[in-house]
Amino acid sequence: METELIIQNGKTIYSPAVTEGVEWSTERIGSPGQLAFKVLEDKEMKITEGNAVRFKYKGSNVFYGFIFTRKIDQDGVISVTAYDQLRYLKNKDTYVYANKTLTQVVKRIISDFSLKKGER
């Protein structure tokens, strides 16, 4: 297998059927890496903004990030865009937390900055 795409929602791991390939883009300085792909809708697969995404090519890890947007068309194809962690570090907000794990903080930041349907 040359490519492997994994989406994690909580403790559940999905390896969805990708249509039309995977597009990975990155720049050398200052911009987050982006992964865009389309998968077939599956009633058993529950993916949402903030889910972790990992992409491997020929056994090498090339992308790890989080779903930022997803859109389902009338044919049941889900278009997904994920960004690596740099996307979230470029925002200009301040958070103060007590008694939170790093996972809880990251999930909150992702939730706050992820695009929901029809926003922005």
Side-chain angles (χ1 to χ4, degrees), residues 26-71:
T26 187
E27 295 189 26
R28 291 183 65 181
I29 299 174
S31 293
Q34 177 180 328
L35 193 74
F37 55 92
K38 294 180 180 183
V39 297
L40 297 175
E41 184 178 27
D42 179 343
K43 299 298 180 195
E44 300 298 316
M45 183 173 65
K46 309 279 190 253
I47 62 172
T48 188
E49 290 84 354
N51 289 160
V53 176
R54 183 182 71 213
F55 181 68
K56 289 184 176 186
Y57 179 71
K58 293 186 177 180
S60 296
N61 291 319
V62 294
F63 180 88
Y64 181 81
F66 301 93
I67 294 176
F68 200 72
T69 62
R70 65 183 172 87
K71 181 172 38 172

Short mmCIF file of all heavy atoms in Angstrom, two decimals, residues 26-71:
data_model
loop_
_atom_site.label_atom_id
_atom_site.label_comp_id
_atom_site.label_asym_id
_atom_site.label_seq_id
_atom_site.Cartn_x
_atom_site.Cartn_y
_atom_site.Cartn_z
N THR A 26 2.30 22.30 1.38
CA THR A 26 3.03 22.92 2.48
C THR A 26 3.94 24.00 1.92
O THR A 26 4.26 23.98 0.73
CB THR A 26 3.84 21.88 3.27
OG1 THR A 26 4.40 22.48 4.42
CG2 THR A 26 4.92 21.25 2.44
N GLU A 27 4.28 24.95 2.76
CA GLU A 27 5.22 25.99 2.38
C GLU A 27 6.38 25.97 3.35
O GLU A 27 6.25 25.45 4.46
CB GLU A 27 4.53 27.36 2.36
CG GLU A 27 3.45 27.40 1.29
CD GLU A 27 2.88 28.79 1.09
OE1 GLU A 27 3.59 29.78 1.37
OE2 GLU A 27 1.74 28.87 0.64
N ARG A 28 7.47 26.55 2.95
CA ARG A 28 8.67 26.48 3.78
C ARG A 28 8.55 27.25 5.08
O ARG A 28 9.02 26.82 6.11
CB ARG A 28 9.87 26.99 2.99
CG ARG A 28 10.25 26.04 1.88
CD ARG A 28 11.46 26.50 1.17
NE ARG A 28 12.59 26.46 2.09
CZ ARG A 28 13.80 26.82 1.79
NH1 ARG A 28 14.07 27.27 0.60
NH2 ARG A 28 14.76 26.75 2.67
N ILE A 29 7.94 28.44 5.03
CA ILE A 29 7.93 29.29 6.22
C ILE A 29 6.56 29.91 6.45
O ILE A 29 5.95 30.43 5.53
CB ILE A 29 8.97 30.43 6.07
CG1 ILE A 29 10.37 29.85 5.91
CG2 ILE A 29 8.91 31.37 7.26
CD1 ILE A 29 11.42 30.89 5.61
N GLY A 30 6.09 29.84 7.69
CA GLY A 30 4.96 30.64 8.12
C GLY A 30 3.56 30.19 7.79
O GLY A 30 2.61 30.77 8.29
N SER A 31 3.37 29.21 6.97
CA SER A 31 2.03 28.77 6.61
C SER A 31 1.84 27.31 7.02
O SER A 31 2.77 26.51 6.90
CB SER A 31 1.79 28.89 5.11
OG SER A 31 1.78 30.24 4.73
N PRO A 32 0.65 26.98 7.47
CA PRO A 32 0.41 25.59 7.89
C PRO A 32 0.34 24.65 6.70
O PRO A 32 -0.01 25.05 5.60
CB PRO A 32 -0.94 25.67 8.59
CG PRO A 32 -1.62 26.83 7.95
CD PRO A 32 -0.54 27.82 7.63
N GLY A 33 0.68 23.39 6.93
CA GLY A 33 0.47 22.36 5.92
C GLY A 33 -1.01 22.08 5.81
O GLY A 33 -1.76 22.20 6.78
N GLN A 34 -1.43 21.70 4.61
CA GLN A 34 -2.84 21.44 4.36
C GLN A 34 -2.99 20.09 3.67
O GLN A 34 -2.20 19.75 2.79
CB GLN A 34 -3.42 22.53 3.47
CG GLN A 34 -4.87 22.30 3.09
CD GLN A 34 -5.41 23.40 2.20
OE1 GLN A 34 -5.01 24.54 2.30
NE2 GLN A 34 -6.32 23.05 1.31
N LEU A 35 -3.99 19.34 4.08
CA LEU A 35 -4.33 18.08 3.45
C LEU A 35 -5.79 18.14 3.05
O LEU A 35 -6.65 18.43 3.87
CB LEU A 35 -4.11 16.91 4.43
CG LEU A 35 -4.12 15.52 3.82
CD1 LEU A 35 -2.82 15.30 3.04
CD2 LEU A 35 -4.25 14.47 4.90
N ALA A 36 -6.05 17.92 1.76
CA ALA A 36 -7.43 17.94 1.25
C ALA A 36 -7.71 16.59 0.59
O ALA A 36 -6.87 16.07 -0.14
CB ALA A 36 -7.62 19.08 0.26
N PHE A 37 -8.88 16.06 0.86
CA PHE A 37 -9.25 14.77 0.28
C PHE A 37 -10.76 14.63 0.30
O PHE A 37 -11.46 15.39 0.96
CB PHE A 37 -8.59 13.61 1.04
CG PHE A 37 -8.88 13.60 2.52
CD1 PHE A 37 -9.95 12.89 3.03
CD2 PHE A 37 -8.07 14.29 3.40
CE1 PHE A 37 -10.22 12.88 4.38
CE2 PHE A 37 -8.32 14.29 4.77
CZ PHE A 37 -9.40 13.57 5.25
N LYS A 38 -11.23 13.66 -0.47
CA LYS A 38 -12.66 13.36 -0.52
C LYS A 38 -12.85 11.89 -0.19
O LYS A 38 -12.10 11.04 -0.67
CB LYS A 38 -13.23 13.65 -1.91
CG LYS A 38 -13.18 15.13 -2.25
CD LYS A 38 -13.75 15.40 -3.63
CE LYS A 38 -13.69 16.88 -3.93
NZ LYS A 38 -14.28 17.21 -5.21
N VAL A 39 -13.86 11.63 0.64
CA VAL A 39 -14.17 10.26 1.02
C VAL A 39 -15.65 10.01 0.80
O VAL A 39 -16.45 10.94 0.80
CB VAL A 39 -13.78 9.95 2.49
CG1 VAL A 39 -12.30 10.09 2.71
CG2 VAL A 39 -14.54 10.84 3.46
N LEU A 40 -15.99 8.76 0.62
CA LEU A 40 -17.39 8.39 0.46
C LEU A 40 -18.08 8.40 1.82
O LEU A 40 -17.52 7.92 2.80
CB LEU A 40 -17.51 7.01 -0.17
CG LEU A 40 -16.94 6.88 -1.58
CD1 LEU A 40 -17.02 5.42 -2.04
CD2 LEU A 40 -17.68 7.78 -2.54
N GLU A 41 -19.27 8.97 1.86
CA GLU A 41 -20.04 8.99 3.11
C GLU A 41 -20.37 7.57 3.51
O GLU A 41 -20.72 6.73 2.69
CB GLU A 41 -21.32 9.80 2.92
CG GLU A 41 -22.13 9.94 4.18
CD GLU A 41 -23.37 10.79 3.98
OE1 GLU A 41 -23.88 10.86 2.85
OE2 GLU A 41 -23.83 11.37 4.96
N ASP A 42 -20.22 7.30 4.79
CA ASP A 42 -20.49 5.99 5.36
C ASP A 42 -21.22 6.22 6.67
O ASP A 42 -20.72 6.92 7.55
CB ASP A 42 -19.16 5.26 5.59
CG ASP A 42 -19.32 3.89 6.20
OD1 ASP A 42 -20.40 3.58 6.74
OD2 ASP A 42 -18.35 3.11 6.15
N LYS A 43 -22.41 5.67 6.79
CA LYS A 43 -23.23 5.91 7.99
C LYS A 43 -22.54 5.44 9.27
O LYS A 43 -22.82 5.93 10.35
CB LYS A 43 -24.59 5.22 7.86
CG LYS A 43 -25.41 5.72 6.68
CD LYS A 43 -25.74 7.18 6.82
CE LYS A 43 -26.56 7.63 5.63
NZ LYS A 43 -26.64 9.06 5.48
N GLU A 44 -21.61 4.50 9.16
CA GLU A 44 -20.88 4.00 10.32
C GLU A 44 -19.71 4.91 10.70
O GLU A 44 -19.21 4.85 11.81
CB GLU A 44 -20.36 2.58 10.06
CG GLU A 44 -21.45 1.57 9.77
CD GLU A 44 -22.42 1.41 10.93
OE1 GLU A 44 -21.97 1.33 12.09
OE2 GLU A 44 -23.63 1.37 10.68
N MET A 45 -19.26 5.73 9.77
CA MET A 45 -18.10 6.59 9.99
C MET A 45 -18.56 7.94 10.53
O MET A 45 -19.29 8.67 9.87
CB MET A 45 -17.31 6.77 8.69
CG MET A 45 -16.06 7.58 8.85
SD MET A 45 -15.05 7.62 7.36
CE MET A 45 -16.13 8.50 6.23
N LYS A 46 -18.13 8.27 11.72
CA LYS A 46 -18.49 9.53 12.36
C LYS A 46 -17.23 10.41 12.40
O LYS A 46 -16.37 10.23 13.26
CB LYS A 46 -18.99 9.31 13.78
CG LYS A 46 -20.09 8.26 13.89
CD LYS A 46 -21.44 8.84 13.53
CE LYS A 46 -22.55 7.89 13.88
NZ LYS A 46 -23.18 7.25 12.78
N ILE A 47 -17.11 11.34 11.44
CA ILE A 47 -15.99 12.26 11.46
C ILE A 47 -16.52 13.68 11.56
O ILE A 47 -17.60 13.99 11.08
CB ILE A 47 -15.07 12.12 10.23
CG1 ILE A 47 -15.79 12.42 8.93
CG2 ILE A 47 -14.43 10.73 10.19
CD1 ILE A 47 -14.91 12.49 7.71
N THR A 48 -15.75 14.54 12.22
CA THR A 48 -16.18 15.92 12.44
C THR A 48 -14.97 16.83 12.54
O THR A 48 -13.83 16.36 12.63
CB THR A 48 -17.06 16.01 13.70
OG1 THR A 48 -17.61 17.31 13.78
CG2 THR A 48 -16.29 15.69 14.95
N GLU A 49 -15.23 18.13 12.53
CA GLU A 49 -14.17 19.10 12.69
C GLU A 49 -13.44 18.83 14.00
O GLU A 49 -14.06 18.52 15.01
CB GLU A 49 -14.72 20.53 12.69
CG GLU A 49 -15.24 20.99 11.34
CD GLU A 49 -16.68 20.57 11.05
OE1 GLU A 49 -17.28 19.81 11.84
OE2 GLU A 49 -17.20 20.99 9.99
N GLY A 50 -12.13 18.94 13.97
CA GLY A 50 -11.31 18.69 15.15
C GLY A 50 -10.75 17.29 15.24
O GLY A 50 -9.83 17.04 16.03
N ASN A 51 -11.26 16.35 14.43
CA ASN A 51 -10.70 14.99 14.43
C ASN A 51 -9.27 15.00 13.91
O ASN A 51 -8.95 15.74 12.97
CB ASN A 51 -11.52 14.05 13.57
CG ASN A 51 -12.88 13.69 14.14
OD1 ASN A 51 -13.75 13.26 13.41
ND2 ASN A 51 -13.09 13.86 15.42
N ALA A 52 -8.43 14.17 14.50
CA ALA A 52 -7.04 14.05 14.05
C ALA A 52 -6.98 13.29 12.73
O ALA A 52 -7.76 12.36 12.49
CB ALA A 52 -6.21 13.32 15.10
N VAL A 53 -6.04 13.71 11.86
CA VAL A 53 -5.83 13.07 10.57
C VAL A 53 -4.34 12.77 10.42
O VAL A 53 -3.50 13.64 10.67
CB VAL A 53 -6.27 13.99 9.41
CG1 VAL A 53 -5.95 13.36 8.06
CG2 VAL A 53 -7.74 14.33 9.51
N ARG A 54 -4.02 11.54 9.99
CA ARG A 54 -2.63 11.18 9.70
C ARG A 54 -2.57 10.63 8.29
O ARG A 54 -3.43 9.84 7.88
CB ARG A 54 -2.14 10.11 10.68
CG ARG A 54 -0.65 9.76 10.44
CD ARG A 54 -0.17 8.69 11.36
NE ARG A 54 -0.79 7.43 10.95
CZ ARG A 54 -1.13 6.45 11.77
NH1 ARG A 54 -0.94 6.57 13.05
NH2 ARG A 54 -1.67 5.35 11.31
N PHE A 55 -1.56 11.07 7.56
CA PHE A 55 -1.37 10.59 6.19
C PHE A 55 0.05 10.08 6.02
O PHE A 55 1.01 10.77 6.38
CB PHE A 55 -1.65 11.71 5.18
CG PHE A 55 -1.51 11.29 3.75
CD1 PHE A 55 -2.39 10.39 3.19
CD2 PHE A 55 -0.48 11.79 2.97
CE1 PHE A 55 -2.26 9.99 1.87
CE2 PHE A 55 -0.34 11.40 1.65
CZ PHE A 55 -1.23 10.50 1.10
N LYS A 56 0.15 8.85 5.50
CA LYS A 56 1.46 8.25 5.23
C LYS A 56 1.59 7.99 3.74
O LYS A 56 0.61 7.65 3.08
CB LYS A 56 1.61 6.91 5.95
CG LYS A 56 1.76 7.00 7.43
CD LYS A 56 1.99 5.61 8.02
CE LYS A 56 2.25 5.67 9.49
NZ LYS A 56 2.61 4.34 10.02
N TYR A 57 2.80 8.15 3.24
CA TYR A 57 3.09 7.84 1.84
C TYR A 57 4.32 6.94 1.81
O TYR A 57 5.37 7.30 2.34
CB TYR A 57 3.34 9.12 1.04
CG TYR A 57 3.67 8.86 -0.40
CD1 TYR A 57 2.68 8.42 -1.27
CD2 TYR A 57 4.94 9.05 -0.89
CE1 TYR A 57 2.96 8.18 -2.60
CE2 TYR A 57 5.24 8.81 -2.22
CZ TYR A 57 4.24 8.37 -3.07
OH TYR A 57 4.54 8.12 -4.38
N LYS A 58 4.16 5.76 1.23
CA LYS A 58 5.23 4.76 1.16
C LYS A 58 5.84 4.49 2.53
O LYS A 58 7.04 4.40 2.70
CB LYS A 58 6.31 5.18 0.16
CG LYS A 58 5.82 5.19 -1.27
CD LYS A 58 6.94 5.47 -2.23
CE LYS A 58 6.41 5.41 -3.66
NZ LYS A 58 7.45 5.67 -4.65
N GLY A 59 4.96 4.41 3.55
CA GLY A 59 5.39 4.08 4.90
C GLY A 59 5.94 5.25 5.71
O GLY A 59 6.23 5.09 6.89
N SER A 60 6.08 6.42 5.11
CA SER A 60 6.61 7.58 5.82
C SER A 60 5.48 8.53 6.22
O SER A 60 4.60 8.82 5.41
CB SER A 60 7.59 8.36 4.94
OG SER A 60 8.71 7.57 4.65
N ASN A 61 5.53 9.00 7.46
CA ASN A 61 4.56 9.99 7.91
C ASN A 61 4.83 11.30 7.20
O ASN A 61 5.95 11.82 7.26
CB ASN A 61 4.68 10.21 9.42
CG ASN A 61 4.22 9.01 10.21
OD1 ASN A 61 3.22 8.40 9.87
ND2 ASN A 61 4.93 8.69 11.26
N VAL A 62 3.82 11.85 6.50
CA VAL A 62 4.01 13.13 5.82
C VAL A 62 3.09 14.22 6.36
O VAL A 62 3.36 15.41 6.17
CB VAL A 62 3.82 13.02 4.28
CG1 VAL A 62 4.89 12.16 3.67
CG2 VAL A 62 2.45 12.51 3.91
N PHE A 63 2.02 13.85 7.06
CA PHE A 63 1.09 14.85 7.57
C PHE A 63 0.43 14.35 8.84
O PHE A 63 -0.01 13.21 8.91
CB PHE A 63 0.02 15.17 6.52
CG PHE A 63 -0.97 16.21 6.97
CD1 PHE A 63 -0.72 17.56 6.77
CD2 PHE A 63 -2.16 15.84 7.59
CE1 PHE A 63 -1.63 18.52 7.20
CE2 PHE A 63 -3.07 16.80 8.02
CZ PHE A 63 -2.80 18.14 7.82
N TYR A 64 0.32 15.25 9.82
CA TYR A 64 -0.50 15.01 10.99
C TYR A 64 -1.15 16.35 11.33
O TYR A 64 -0.47 17.36 11.51
CB TYR A 64 0.31 14.52 12.19
CG TYR A 64 -0.57 14.27 13.39
CD1 TYR A 64 -1.29 13.09 13.50
CD2 TYR A 64 -0.72 15.23 14.38
CE1 TYR A 64 -2.14 12.86 14.58
CE2 TYR A 64 -1.56 15.01 15.47
CZ TYR A 64 -2.27 13.83 15.55
OH TYR A 64 -3.11 13.61 16.61
N GLY A 65 -2.47 16.36 11.38
CA GLY A 65 -3.19 17.59 11.68
C GLY A 65 -4.61 17.30 12.09
O GLY A 65 -4.92 16.18 12.54
N PHE A 66 -5.48 18.30 11.90
CA PHE A 66 -6.85 18.18 12.37
C PHE A 66 -7.83 18.68 11.32
O PHE A 66 -7.54 19.64 10.60
CB PHE A 66 -7.03 18.99 13.66
CG PHE A 66 -6.11 18.52 14.75
CD1 PHE A 66 -4.87 19.12 14.92
CD2 PHE A 66 -6.47 17.47 15.57
CE1 PHE A 66 -4.01 18.68 15.92
CE2 PHE A 66 -5.62 17.02 16.55
CZ PHE A 66 -4.38 17.63 16.73
N ILE A 67 -8.98 18.03 11.24
CA ILE A 67 -10.01 18.43 10.28
C ILE A 67 -10.48 19.83 10.64
O ILE A 67 -10.86 20.10 11.77
CB ILE A 67 -11.19 17.44 10.28
CG1 ILE A 67 -10.74 16.07 9.76
CG2 ILE A 67 -12.35 17.99 9.43
CD1 ILE A 67 -11.81 15.00 9.80
N PHE A 68 -10.44 20.69 9.64
CA PHE A 68 -10.85 22.08 9.81
C PHE A 68 -12.21 22.32 9.17
O PHE A 68 -13.04 23.03 9.72
CB PHE A 68 -9.79 22.99 9.19
CG PHE A 68 -9.83 24.39 9.69
CD1 PHE A 68 -9.40 24.71 10.97
CD2 PHE A 68 -10.29 25.41 8.88
CE1 PHE A 68 -9.43 26.00 11.44
CE2 PHE A 68 -10.32 26.71 9.34
CZ PHE A 68 -9.89 27.01 10.62
N THR A 69 -12.43 21.75 7.99
CA THR A 69 -13.73 21.86 7.34
C THR A 69 -14.10 20.52 6.71
O THR A 69 -13.23 19.73 6.33
CB THR A 69 -13.75 22.93 6.22
OG1 THR A 69 -12.83 22.57 5.20
CG2 THR A 69 -13.42 24.31 6.75
N ARG A 70 -15.40 20.31 6.58
CA ARG A 70 -15.90 19.15 5.83
C ARG A 70 -17.25 19.54 5.25
O ARG A 70 -18.01 20.29 5.86
CB ARG A 70 -16.02 17.91 6.71
CG ARG A 70 -17.02 18.03 7.81
CD ARG A 70 -17.05 16.80 8.70
NE ARG A 70 -17.89 17.07 9.84
CZ ARG A 70 -19.20 16.88 9.86
NH1 ARG A 70 -19.81 16.38 8.82
NH2 ARG A 70 -19.91 17.19 10.93
N LYS A 71 -17.50 19.05 4.05
CA LYS A 71 -18.74 19.39 3.35
C LYS A 71 -19.20 18.14 2.61
O LYS A 71 -18.41 17.49 1.93
CB LYS A 71 -18.48 20.54 2.38
CG LYS A 71 -19.71 20.99 1.63
CD LYS A 71 -19.51 22.26 0.81
CE LYS A 71 -18.16 22.34 0.15
NZ LYS A 71 -18.01 23.44 -0.77
#
